């Protein structure tokens, strides 16, 4: 580890209302000295329409939208303050890359459990080799002071299980098995997910580039 003293005055605002993502990123940034905030600190409850065709485009929509909303709140911009947006999802080979950017809305207005069951039903009888999938994450970071943006990506390859397994994590974690393992992310637990996951991969690139910090 290095650079921790330099990070004590750094603030990072995560532009999301997703509780699962907030908790995961809090764990990913724990212990490195960054003041990690989210939109609740600014009493922002609204959200933009995510109509991008790629994860990058959706992350861009979010960072631009919340940057303007935070500016409206009268927040004092300083060089050591950053805004972060993130868009991520799962791409399944047999479904021609779906759910993709629609991962959070796949199947319409249904619960996460129902969404996972929908995926499993569409893959019923499909062989393991055709159940290939990958988690993909795109992070955008903006420095409030000079408004410079940077992008960082991460992925985790794996395949879809034949049944849902509850445990840690959220989203598609109960049905996603990473390559090299025989249990779903939910069963493997948060500690391993934070080491090998797609958000972890993107976050490590980010803190190394922007904050000059290595875990």
């Amino acid at each position: 580890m290095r650079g921790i003293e330099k990070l004590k005055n750094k603030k990072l605002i995560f532009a999301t209302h997703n509780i699962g993502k907030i908790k995961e990123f809090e764990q990913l940034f724990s212990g490195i000295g960054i003041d990690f905030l989210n939109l609740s600190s600014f009493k922002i409850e609204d959200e933009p329409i995510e109509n991008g065709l790629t994860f990058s485009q959706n992350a861009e929509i979010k960072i631009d939208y919340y940057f303007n909303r935070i500016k409206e709140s009268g927040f004092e911009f300083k060089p050591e303050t950053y805004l972060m947006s993130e868009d991520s999802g799962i791409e399944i080979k047999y479904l021609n890359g779906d759910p993709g950017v629609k991962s959070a809305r796949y199947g319409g207005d249904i619960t996460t459990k129902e969404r996972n069951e929908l995926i499993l039903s569409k893959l019923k009888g499909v062989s393991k080799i055709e159940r290939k999938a990958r988690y993909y994450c795109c992070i955008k970071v903006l420095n409030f002071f000079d408004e410079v943006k940077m992008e960082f990506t991460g992925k985790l390859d794996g395949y879809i299980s034949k049944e849902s397994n509850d445990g840690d994590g959220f989203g598609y974690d109960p049905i996603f098995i990473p390559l090299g393992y025989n249990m779903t992310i939910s069963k493997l637990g948060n500690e391993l997910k934070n080491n090998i996951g797609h958000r972890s991969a993107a976050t490590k690139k980010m803190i190394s580039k922007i904050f000059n910090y290595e875990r």
Side-chain angles (χ1 to χ4, degrees), residues 25 28-29 139 198-208:
F25 275 105
L28 291 173
F29 283 100
I139 289 175
H198 52 312
R199 294 190 189 92
S200 173
T203 300
K204 287 175 183 176
K205 294 175 186 176
M206 183 194 115
I207 63 175
S208 175

Side-chain angles (χ1 to χ4, degrees), residues 65-128:
Y65 182 84
Y66 289 118
F67 176 63
N68 289 322
R69 290 289 286 109
I70 292 172
K71 279 200 299 186
E72 292 169 1
S73 74
F75 180 72
E76 183 181 356
F77 297 171
K78 294 182 179 180
E80 65 270 19
T81 304
Y82 297 82
L83 179 66
M84 179 181 82
S85 70
E86 183 263 8
D87 198 58
S88 57
I90 192 168
E91 299 171 325
I92 301 172
K93 179 181 179 181
Y94 187 77
L95 300 179
N96 298 312
D98 283 344
V101 294
K102 297 180 180 179
S103 291
R105 305 175 296 280
Y106 193 67
D109 187 19
I110 58 178
T111 66
T112 298
K113 186 176 180 62
E114 289 171 335
R115 194 165 287 117
N116 285 333
E117 292 298 334
L118 174 62
I119 294 290
L120 292 178
S121 69
K122 290 191 174 189
L123 269 62
K124 187 175 182 179
V126 174
S127 64
K128 180 178 176 180

Side-chain angles (χ1 to χ4, degrees), residues 15 48-68 83-88 138-142 147-152:
I49 297 173
E50 298 176 36
N51 54 7
L53 300 178
T54 66
F55 295 110
S56 179
Q57 289 175 1
N58 277 340
E60 184 85 5
I61 288 169
K62 285 186 271 194
I63 204 165
D64 288 343
Y65 182 84
Y66 289 118
F67 176 63
N68 289 322
L83 179 66
M84 179 181 82
S85 70
E86 183 263 8
D87 198 58
S88 57
C138 177
I139 289 175
K140 298 267 187 177
V141 182
L142 180 148
E147 300 187 25
V148 170
K149 292 179 189 172
M150 299 187 74
E151 178 179 299
F152 305 90

Side-chain angles (χ1 to χ4, degrees), residues 131-157:
R131 302 174 81 92
K132 287 181 180 178
R134 76 167 183 173
Y135 268 142
Y136 188 86
C137 167
C138 177
I139 289 175
K140 298 267 187 177
V141 182
L142 180 148
N143 184 306
F144 271 104
F145 190 71
D146 57 20
E147 300 187 25
V148 170
K149 292 179 189 172
M150 299 187 74
E151 178 179 299
F152 305 90
T153 62
K155 67 178 182 177
L156 178 62
D157 291 313

